[in-house]
Amino acid sequence: MNSLVAILFSKDRPLQLDAALRSFRLQCRDAARASAHVLYTVSGPGLETLYQQLQSEHPGVRFVREQQFKADLLRLLEGAEFVLFVVDDTLFVRPFALAGVGAALDRHPEALGFSLRLGRNTTYCYTRDRAQ
């Protein structure tokens, strides 16, 4: 798999972000394949301090304080072939490998993305009120 960027979005939730980062590192067999970035914003100075503490606890992760969301995001995406979007309240609960995700996307160029959450467990469409 070529360049993979993992972008975690967070606003005012450093505790949840810490759990997301730790569970990713725990469950992802090849986490080092991804260049990890946190795009965050805060509504107060006390929260900024907590994000700075997280930054020191996760030295392999680049923390970027949001200035202009679109421009900041596009900068983080530069050169990426694959992107993993994660929100701060995500918990990874089972082992997985990014290489497998990339291989699946390579095998299916018509696919726009891959979900680690939805798959064969999705058997009912609630919006259409029928099995799928």
Side-chain angles (χ1 to χ4, degrees):
M1 181 182 342
N2 291 335
S3 66
L4 187 141
V5 173
I7 299 179
L8 294 91
F9 300 98
S10 185
K11 179 181 180 187
D12 292 345
R13 297 177 356 149
L15 184 62
Q16 290 88 336
L17 176 62
D18 185 47
L21 289 166
R22 290 177 190 279
S23 68
F24 176 75
R25 205 168 34 252
L26 178 68
Q27 297 296 346
C28 184
R29 294 183 180 126
D30 53 356
R33 284 181 163 280
S35 174
H37 307 279
V38 170
L39 183 57
Y40 74 97
T41 188
V42 296
S43 58
L47 288 166
E48 179 68 35
T49 302
L50 294 173
Y51 279 96
Q52 288 171 358
Q53 181 180 340
L54 274 185
Q55 191 168 1
S56 69
E57 293 175 11
H58 298 277
V61 178
R62 178 178 172 208
F63 282 67
V64 176
R65 173 122 186 231
E66 180 185 318
Q67 302 299 315
Q68 291 184 313
F69 180 79
K70 182 179 178 181
D72 295 337
L73 180 59
L74 290 175
R75 260 191 306 280
L76 294 175
L77 294 175
E78 284 179 9
E81 183 177 358
F82 295 100
V83 180
L84 174 65
F85 289 118
V86 181
V87 293
D88 56 15
D89 62 352
T90 299
L91 289 177
F92 296 90
V93 297
R94 290 185 192 89
F96 68 98
L98 296 169
V101 173
L105 289 170
D106 282 339
R107 284 192 308 275
H108 298 281
E110 72 282 6
L112 294 174
F114 185 97
S115 175
L116 292 170
R117 187 175 62 87
L118 303 174
R120 292 188 176 130
N121 61 317
T122 309
T123 59
Y124 193 80
C125 178
Y126 291 93
T127 57
R128 293 189 175 173
D129 194 24
R130 65 178 182 202
Q132 60 183 25

